Structure formats: C-alpha cells, structure tokens
Amino acid sequence: MTADFRQLDGLQLDATVTVRTVPGDPLSYWSIAVNNQTGLLITDVQFPFIVVPYHLAGGAGSESLLRPYWTGRLLQAPKPHELEPDNPHTWQFHPENGDFNHYPGLTFAQFLAYYNDRAGIFVSCRDSSGAIKLIKPTHRGSGIRLGMAHVGDWPRNGRRQLDYDVVLRAFTGDWYDAAELYRQWSLKQPWAATPLHERKDTPDWLLDSPPHIIVRIQGILDEGPTAPNPEFLPYPKIIPLLERIADRIEAPLVPVIMSWERPGPWIYPESLPPAGGAESLGEFTKLARDRGWHVGTFCNGTRWVTHHHWSGYDGSKYLAEQGGEKSLCRTHDQQLWRESWDQTWRPSHPACLGVPMPRDIPADF
C-alpha cells in the first residue's frame, strides 16, 4: 500500500508512505520518503504514528509497557502522569531533555512493546547503522503513543527515503517474548554476528574474565569532598590490599583506577598527570603486571568540565587555550550546550562525537 501526501500544510513538502506485507510473515514493513523543497530545516520525522488505549480488552490492570531505556523499564498498568506529554518540547534536543537519552545512548535498543494478558503490539526499527533516534512512549489524547522520531539528515531542498524499515506486529506473551523478537533480529546484525568468544580481536585476559576491583583514588561520593584517599596513595600501597583478595579467590585481578583526575574526580580533559603522580602510578602498574594482573582505568564521558565546586577547579582558561569550544555541542540558537544534571557540583558541556577532537582526546590519553 502506498499513500502520497502532497503540499503538507500548503508548503512544497510531500511525503510518500509505503506499507508492505509478506505472506507467512507476521510483520508489516513501514517506510517513508520526504521531498522537501521549502528550505526549512526538518530536525526529525516521527513515523509511524501509533496510539494505543490505556485499557486493553483483557484482565483489569494487566497492561504493561516495555521501554529499552537505561537498565530497562517495565511500566505496569501505566497511567498518564507516568509518561511525558506528547508535545514538541518532549521531542526536541535541548539541555532540559538531556544529551544521552536517545538511541544509541541510554536507549539501548530500537523497539517498544505494549501488551496485556491477551496480546500486544511490537514496533521496531530495522536499522543496523546506528542512526540517531528518539524512541519513547508519551501520553497523547486518551492513549499512549509508541513514539519513534528519526533524527537528522533530512534535506532542506531534496528528497530522502528513510534508510530502513519500521516493523509492526502483534504478539502474545510478556516482556521476555517482546525482547526476544528484537533479539532474533539483533543477533543477525554486524555487531552481533560473531559471538565474543569467537572473535579474533578479543584479548585472552578479557575472555578469562578476572574479577575487576574498583579503587577510588579521590573522594567517596561523586558529589562530595575530593580529598585523596591515603589508603591508596602512593599507589603501591594498593598491592597488599589486592593480594589478599587474589589469594582468597585464587584468581588474578584487574584493579580499575577511578577518580584519579589531577584537579579532582571527574574533571576532564585537563586531567593529567593523575592524582598521586604518574611515577607512582607507573610503579603500581609494574607491580601489578609482575603478578600477572592487568590494570584498568575508568574515564567517564565526552564532556568538557569547566568548574568543580568541591575542589575549586576553574577550567575556563584551559578550554579557551585548547580551542575546546569547537568540539562542544550547541543549542538551536548556537549557545554552548550546558549539561543540566551536574550544574550543582561540576558544571560541564557535552562534546560532539561528530568532530575529531572528542575522539582524539581519549585516544591521546
């Protein structure tokens, strides 16, 4: 089935929707092409538009909404106040909505599922490229919208066909069954076609999976005092503590050094030399390797920290000297994007992985 929509809202803007089915296949395949001759910037195309009722025919309160977000969200008997309202603000990229909720990001899979004790609906993007999307349920009218927004790369003057299909189907079961529908497709994609234990580029020590032991060099809480921990500095003091663990479990270890940044925990990229000194850390690393251990580190985030209220750090000068602004995300009005969740203790700006600097900095570390 093909549906053509011409001069949307009276503009030189056309859309063509195609829906395909295949005999014996429970999926329907949805695609859209947009022809934009207006010069307007289209930030995202929300397609398809699926709204389901809060109460399905079946057992009272048996409805469940599955969202692959953070560690996974299962909302049982969902209610309007538990969802965001379906308005433009909900779908816009701006600091109040965060910079990591999209796919790929905290949204770790490309599907939504809504079901009860009788049956449900499953919607998923068949995209193996990792294109940016917003995938989330919202409250719309008297129902729940299973929202999909396909972000970016829509031409100001030209035509674009969505590079992948969105699929819909009915299913019976619970959230395990819905997740399995996505898993069956996902395991056939390039990122999962070769299992980890069959890959030739995987280090032997990673496959051995030795215990990873976190060692926090500074502070106790992220949003708290930043003083170095005397139990762990100089670094060789950590070795006897770890040996007790290794002897008890009769296994090698991977000590993971975290909160090591020189001006205070989670201050980057002006982080080196590490707290406690590079020479001391080097000595510890040698002692660990002499015991057959591997040493790991924890580097958190691709954002530029400009202040730290606990340590008193001010990185504004460093940002300017390094030309860091050219690597930072900006809002729709070209202001620097200010991270929202850390303003009370460690103000920062998220960096854009589409430019070289945020990729080069961690490689140089």
Side-chain angles (χ1 to χ4, degrees):
M1 179 185 72
T2 298
D4 291 314
F5 302 89
R6 303 299 184 195
Q7 295 188 328
L8 297 173
D9 201 32
L11 302 172
Q12 292 299 310
L13 182 63
D14 304 331
T16 299
V17 172
T18 302
V19 184
R20 297 180 294 109
T21 60
V22 180
D25 186 346
L27 296 172
S28 59
Y29 298 81
W30 296 63
S31 181
I32 188 170
V34 175
N35 185 12
N36 179 19
Q37 301 298 330
T38 66
L40 294 174
L41 174 62
I42 299 175
T43 56
D44 68 86
V45 170
Q46 300 185 26
F47 172 84
F49 226 84
I50 304 167
V51 181
V52 295
Y54 277 93
H55 304 293
L56 304 173
S62 65
E63 293 85 7
S64 293
L65 178 63
L66 175 61
R67 181 185 180 189
Y69 176 75
W70 203 269
T71 54
R73 295 289 186 266
L74 184 65
L75 191 60
Q76 296 177 308
K79 299 174 180 59
H81 66 270
E82 296 174 311
L83 302 173
E84 295 179 79
D86 188 32
N87 62 34
H89 182 275
T90 299
W91 297 97
Q92 290 166 356
F93 280 88
H94 50 68
E96 300 95 299
N97 280 347
D99 63 348
F100 43 67
N101 295 322
H102 51 276
Y103 174 90
L106 286 188
T107 299
F108 58 85
Q110 306 173 72
F111 76 95
L112 292 169
Y114 184 58
Y115 62 91
N116 71 349
D117 57 349
R118 296 181 63 205
I121 186 171
F122 171 88
V123 55
S124 175
C125 296
R126 292 295 174 94
D127 171 31
S128 61
S129 72
I132 301 295
K133 304 172 190 69
L134 291 172
I135 301 174
K136 56 184 173 181
T138 59
H139 169 76
R140 183 175 183 85
S142 59
I144 301 170
R145 180 178 163 208
L146 305 180
M148 297 272 178
H150 312 275
V151 178
D153 297 329
W154 299 97
R156 287 177 180 261
N157 287 284
R159 183 182 186 278
R160 180 194 168 192
Q161 171 88 35
L162 194 62
D163 305 313
Y164 47 86
D165 288 321
V166 181
V167 298
L168 278 77
R169 63 161 292 172
F171 76 98
T172 57
D174 58 14
W175 71 265
Y176 278 87
D177 299 288
E180 180 63 23
L181 294 175
Y182 185 78
R183 183 174 184 270
Q184 290 173 0
W185 172 81
S186 185
L187 289 179
K188 299 175 184 177
Q189 306 315 304
W191 63 75
T194 304
L196 185 65
H197 69 277
E198 294 181 5
R199 286 175 52 169
K200 305 304 181 185
D201 59 345
T202 307
D204 291 339
W205 66 268
L206 183 59
L207 294 179
D208 290 341
S209 190
H212 287 52
I213 309 298
I214 297 291
V215 183
R216 183 164 185 141
I217 302 304
Q218 299 180 101
I220 298 174
L221 302 172
D222 287 353
E223 301 182 51
T226 60
N229 290 313
E231 299 88 345
F232 301 146
L233 292 175
Y235 287 91
K237 292 174 67 174
I238 303 171
I239 293 293
L241 304 176
L242 295 173
E243 282 184 324
R244 297 177 199 169
I245 300 174
D247 291 343
R248 185 171 180 178
I249 65 175
E250 299 179 354
L253 304 178
V254 178
V256 179
I257 304 301
M258 74 184 288
S259 295
W260 53 263
E261 292 82 2
R262 173 187 55 80
W266 318 129
I267 294 175
Y268 33 82
E270 192 181 5
S271 308
L272 297 171
E279 183 176 346
S280 177
L281 179 57
E283 182 182 356
F284 163 78
T285 300
K286 181 180 185 304
L287 292 172
R289 289 176 175 166
D290 288 344
R291 288 160 173 76
W293 301 348
H294 295 268
V295 177
T297 185
F298 189 94
C299 305
N300 174 242
T302 48
R303 57 178 48 86
W304 203 297
V305 177
T306 56
H307 297 83
H308 198 295
H309 299 322
W310 285 97
S311 73
Y313 171 77
D314 184 343
S316 303
K317 181 179 179 181
Y318 183 78
L319 175 68
E321 290 174 346
Q322 299 296 313
E325 284 196 7
K326 65 186 178 184
S327 73
L328 302 183
C329 296
R330 293 181 180 270
T331 63
H332 68 283
D333 59 359
Q334 293 303 299
Q335 300 300 309
L336 290 180
W337 187 299
R338 286 173 58 86
E339 191 59 270
S340 58
W341 62 272
D342 61 1
Q343 292 298 313
T344 60
W345 64 284
R346 187 208 60 174
S348 67
H349 301 284
C352 175
L353 291 177
V355 294
M357 182 179 284
R359 301 194 300 271
D360 294 341
I361 287 175
D364 292 343
F365 267 57

